Amino acid sequence: MDFKQIVSHAKEYGFIYQSSEIYDTLAAVYDYGPNGVELKNNIKEYWWRSMVQRHENIVGIDAAIFMHPKTWKASGHVDAFNDPLIDNKDSKKRYRADVLIEEYIDKIDAKAEKEIDKAAGRFGDQFNREQYITTNDRVVKYLAEKDSLTKRLAEAMKKGDMADLKKMIEDLEIACPESGSRNWTDVRQFNLMFSTQLGNIAGEEGKLYLRPETAQGIFLNFLNVQKTSRQKIPFGIAQIGKAFRNEIVARQFIFRMREFEQMEMQYFVRPGDEMEWYEYWKDLRLKWHMALGTPASQLRFHDHDNLAHYANAAVDIQFAFPFGFKELEGIHSRTDFDLSSHQELSGKKLQYFDPELEKSYVPYVVETSIGCDRMFLAMLSQSLQEEIVPDADGKESTRIVLKLHPSIAPVKCAILPLVKNKPEITEKAKAIFNDLKFFTQCQYDEKDAIGRRYRRQDAIGTPFCITIDFDSLDDHSVTIRHRDTLAQDRVHVSRIEEVLRDKVNMEALLRSF
Ligand code: GAP
């Protein structure tokens, strides 16, 4: 499905609406509808239980969004959480200079990939990719250009060299996507934090920030949690919560939002052990994604070219979104940067006494950080499919189906009386619904022909439809239709829960990796 279809499906079926629609919307802010909130809660539950329930040495917290303003000084966000911004004087549109350059590099990469794909098609089984990319003149040229621009960009970003970013945009003759003009302003740094003001303190003193990452709530509570939960290093603290960034480029639907939700886990380790744990979390997080049915070909690791101010190693798990491979999750080795900075600025010790080593130290941190909304978009885009299926009358028709993993589907089971004008049937169906609703998220639907009701459930990803027909009155059995295979099983009412339990509950999923 293309991206536009995914966005309109999300609205039509109550997953996502643009914020403040009746006032012409608020850019890059979105609301989750009835099916959206269920799917999002299920993603959060899957993440939470895989972190907190599966690991006896990971505990959760729920820190406040507002934090003492010094937090953001110590964390480096006041000074370094900037994006390089450039305006086009003709269209008056604002862009991230690094993104304009990255998009240019992506185009060179796409040209190289196109050449490689063509050659792979020509040579078939004989194709040797490694040999081709080092010997074909055109591909060698593209890849060398990509490499040199990537390095120059990384260097300019690292040094905060705004003049060179501007020079790159000029050298590469990058034009404004809106106006086509190359009439650019200089590049300048733009801090991404939203700020607000405390009511009882005027001026800078009372300036508060909306947190741009949830992680700092974990760092500030590190000792509280360690002491009250009696954890020994290595141990982790997990949190799910809102984060806010004043993104300049706010495009691509819920991929880049100004208000979004993060699922972060900070793992506190002995200094020197961090790379071992970094590899461990890279591996486990990839398994977490694949357990949901995401094929390996849709996921890849991408080492950071520009390390954030706090990291000594960082990798993204990228997902093949409809607009290309992009960051879905970050795994960062943050060293002792945050705890040490907070220790210094607050004057309070943030150290751990290691009984085995018999000494105190500031722990190192490996974090895993995933945007819940991006995960939602990944699940929506990978699951939404259009396919040809056989009809009841032997013909074929097209259906739109959301092939979500059953345990994260918004509705697990739809209860459908075959007809709505037979009280014996509808009453039996309602009785089944009123029982099953205590077991899992169910929906009762008696409106329209059964085929249309199946299509409605397919479109929101309901893995099981239970039909109550005339025979059900005698044999006390129902038909369970499976969303993906369209197989239909006849099952006694007393066995419905037993048949569905392993599929819709998260337990099997959590055990599977
Ligand atoms: N604590 C580390 C941190 O915040 P990050 O790479 O800036 O690292 C982590 O963000 C994750 O948060 C990203 O991988 C992405 O999934 C999500 N994220 C970041 N900015 C976002 C935005 N503007 N909209 C939606 N999700 C975002």
Side-chain angles (χ1 to χ4, degrees), residues 245-295:
R245 294 182 190 178
N246 201 353
E247 298 283 0
I248 304 161
V249 183
R251 280 188 283 129
Q252 292 161 327
F253 195 39
I254 56 169
F255 181 81
R256 199 176 297 286
M257 303 156 88
R258 296 202 165 106
E259 173 180 342
F260 57 100
E261 215 160 354
Q262 288 188 317
M263 306 189 284
E264 296 200 296
M265 194 279 300
Q266 268 64 38
Y267 204 66
F268 298 89
V269 304
R270 274 185 192 157
D273 285 357
E274 71 274 15
M275 289 321 287
E276 194 185 311
W277 287 111
Y278 177 70
E279 293 303 326
Y280 170 88
W281 283 107
K282 267 176 76 174
D283 180 57
L284 196 61
R285 292 305 300 149
L286 195 65
K287 287 186 177 140
W288 183 87
H289 287 283
M290 290 173 56
L292 277 178
T294 307

Side-chain angles (χ1 to χ4, degrees), residues 54-291:
R54 261 181 57 137
H55 296 91
E56 59 196 272
N57 68 339
I58 299 182
V59 292
I61 64 162
D62 182 14
I65 288 171
F66 288 141
M67 301 179 72
H68 194 286
K70 282 188 180 167
T71 307
W72 307 109
K73 185 74 192 152
S75 69
H77 285 82
V78 170
D79 298 318
F81 196 54
N82 300 318
D83 274 345
L85 171 150
I86 191 166
D87 292 301
N88 183 270
K89 292 183 194 161
D90 297 318
S91 66
K92 311 270 183 264
K93 289 272 170 199
R94 185 161 279 188
Y95 298 93
R96 261 175 66 178
D98 58 330
V99 171
L100 286 176
I101 298 166
E102 270 165 14
E103 283 172 354
Y104 183 93
I105 297 172
D106 284 348
K107 280 188 200 146
I108 301 176
D109 199 31
K111 281 187 199 164
E113 281 303 322
K114 203 170 159 192
E115 291 285 339
I116 297 166
D117 283 351
K118 269 202 302 203
R122 265 201 321 274
F123 292 109
D125 289 347
Q126 309 294 313
F127 185 62
N128 180 334
R129 188 183 160 98
E130 282 315 305
Q131 191 184 359
Y132 190 77
I133 62 175
T134 47
T135 51
N136 179 277
D137 286 349
R138 259 202 302 265
V139 174
V140 168
K141 186 175 140 266
Y142 287 141
L143 293 183
E145 192 183 357
K146 174 187 160 189
D147 204 37
S148 121
L149 290 174
T150 306
K151 281 199 186 111
R152 185 170 161 196
L153 175 63
E155 194 68 10
M157 291 294 287
K158 202 166 154 195
K159 287 194 195 139
D161 187 346
M162 299 297 109
D164 197 44
L165 290 180
K166 169 89 185 277
K167 181 96 182 21
M168 282 185 86
I169 288 175
E170 285 168 348
D171 292 350
L172 301 173
E173 301 187 344
I174 296 174
C176 165
E178 193 88 5
S179 65
S181 108
R182 297 205 287 267
N183 192 8
W184 296 110
T185 61
D186 283 342
V187 180
R188 57 206 185 281
Q189 295 279 27
F190 176 79
N191 193 284
L192 296 183
M193 284 196 293
F194 282 103
S195 63
T196 186
Q197 192 70 30
L198 274 177
N200 59 346
I201 307 174
E204 273 298 305
E205 287 284 284
K207 189 169 175 184
L208 283 189
Y209 294 102
L210 299 188
R211 64 181 178 196
E213 62 168 4
T214 55
Q216 297 303 325
I218 289 178
F219 292 127
L220 265 55
N221 279 300
F222 155 71
L223 268 190
N224 280 338
V225 174
Q226 190 268 321
K227 285 186 175 144
T228 52
S229 60
R230 301 187 322 278
Q231 289 290 344
K232 289 200 177 75
I233 271 178
F235 77 94
I237 306 179
Q239 178 171 216
I240 299 178
K242 290 271 187 170
F244 304 83
R245 294 182 190 178
N246 201 353
E247 298 283 0
I248 304 161
V249 183
R251 280 188 283 129
Q252 292 161 327
F253 195 39
I254 56 169
F255 181 81
R256 199 176 297 286
M257 303 156 88
R258 296 202 165 106
E259 173 180 342
F260 57 100
E261 215 160 354
Q262 288 188 317
M263 306 189 284
E264 296 200 296
M265 194 279 300
Q266 268 64 38
Y267 204 66
F268 298 89
V269 304
R270 274 185 192 157
D273 285 357
E274 71 274 15
M275 289 321 287
E276 194 185 311
W277 287 111
Y278 177 70
E279 293 303 326
Y280 170 88
W281 283 107
K282 267 176 76 174
D283 180 57
L284 196 61
R285 292 305 300 149
L286 195 65
K287 287 186 177 140
W288 183 87
H289 287 283
M290 290 173 56

Side-chain angles (χ1 to χ4, degrees), residues 315-377:
V315 69
D316 291 338
I317 295 179
Q318 293 188 332
F319 174 81
F321 286 100
F323 36 84
F325 269 100
K326 296 274 177 220
E327 173 185 351
L328 169 60
E329 167 157 10
I331 297 153
H332 312 126
S333 169
R334 289 181 80 129
T335 66
D336 59 351
F337 174 85
D338 300 88
L339 290 179
S340 296
S341 304
H342 289 307
Q343 183 170 265
E344 202 175 312
L345 196 63
S346 68
K348 308 269 165 33
K349 271 208 164 130
L350 290 175
Q351 296 192 353
Y352 169 80
F353 177 76
D354 193 322
E356 277 175 39
L357 300 182
E358 292 186 349
K359 65 172 191 178
S360 294
Y361 53 79
V362 178
Y364 270 43
V365 172
V366 174
E367 84 172 346
T368 74
S369 173
I370 175 167
C372 184
D373 314 84
R374 271 192 203 175
M375 184 62 192
F376 188 108
L377 182 58

Side-chain angles (χ1 to χ4, degrees), residues 304-497:
H304 281 207
D305 301 316
N306 308 308
L307 286 179
H309 57 273
Y310 49 71
N312 70 354
V315 69
D316 291 338
I317 295 179
Q318 293 188 332
F319 174 81
F321 286 100
F323 36 84
F325 269 100
K326 296 274 177 220
E327 173 185 351
L328 169 60
E329 167 157 10
I331 297 153
H332 312 126
S333 169
R334 289 181 80 129
T335 66
D336 59 351
F337 174 85
D338 300 88
L339 290 179
S340 296
S341 304
H342 289 307
Q343 183 170 265
E344 202 175 312
L345 196 63
S346 68
K348 308 269 165 33
K349 271 208 164 130
L350 290 175
Q351 296 192 353
Y352 169 80
F353 177 76
D354 193 322
E356 277 175 39
L357 300 182
E358 292 186 349
K359 65 172 191 178
S360 294
Y361 53 79
V362 178
Y364 270 43
V365 172
V366 174
E367 84 172 346
T368 74
S369 173
I370 175 167
C372 184
D373 314 84
R374 271 192 203 175
M375 184 62 192
F376 188 108
L377 182 58
M379 290 301 97
L380 209 58
S381 42
Q382 108 167 350
S383 312
L384 192 62
Q385 295 171 19
E386 187 175 317
E387 59 180 26
I388 312 276
V389 287
D391 263 349
D393 56 10
K395 293 195 190 121
E396 286 186 328
S397 66
T398 308
R399 72 164 179 167
I400 305 283
V401 55
L402 194 59
K403 290 190 173 172
L404 290 167
H405 191 287
S407 52
I408 60 165
V411 177
K412 307 287 191 274
C413 179
I415 320 295
L416 315 173
L418 188 63
V419 290
K420 69 169 178 185
N421 52 4
K422 278 271 175 242
E424 310 93 284
I425 291 190
T426 51
E427 273 160 26
K428 191 168 184 69
K430 277 183 192 153
I432 292 173
F433 169 76
N434 280 322
D435 184 40
L436 278 184
K437 72 183 181 189
F438 293 100
F439 158 65
T440 192
Q441 187 70 29
C442 297
Q443 206 169 71
Y444 176 84
D445 187 6
E446 58 177 32
K447 195 171 169 286
D448 298 320
I450 191 76
R452 286 189 68 176
R453 280 182 274 162
Y454 282 154
R455 292 291 179 271
R456 268 206 295 273
Q457 296 299 332
D458 286 345
I460 63 166
T462 308
F464 301 101
C465 287
I466 294 184
T467 311
I468 294 87
D469 56 21
F470 290 94
D471 289 344
S472 308
L473 301 177
D474 299 325
D475 65 8
H476 210 47
S477 294
V478 296
T479 302
I480 300 186
R481 171 194 181 262
H482 298 243
R483 178 195 66 200
D484 298 347
T485 59
L486 301 177
Q488 305 210 352
D489 299 329
R490 199 74 186 161
V491 171
H492 195 268
V493 171
S494 61
R495 290 194 53 238
I496 299 176
E497 266 193 50

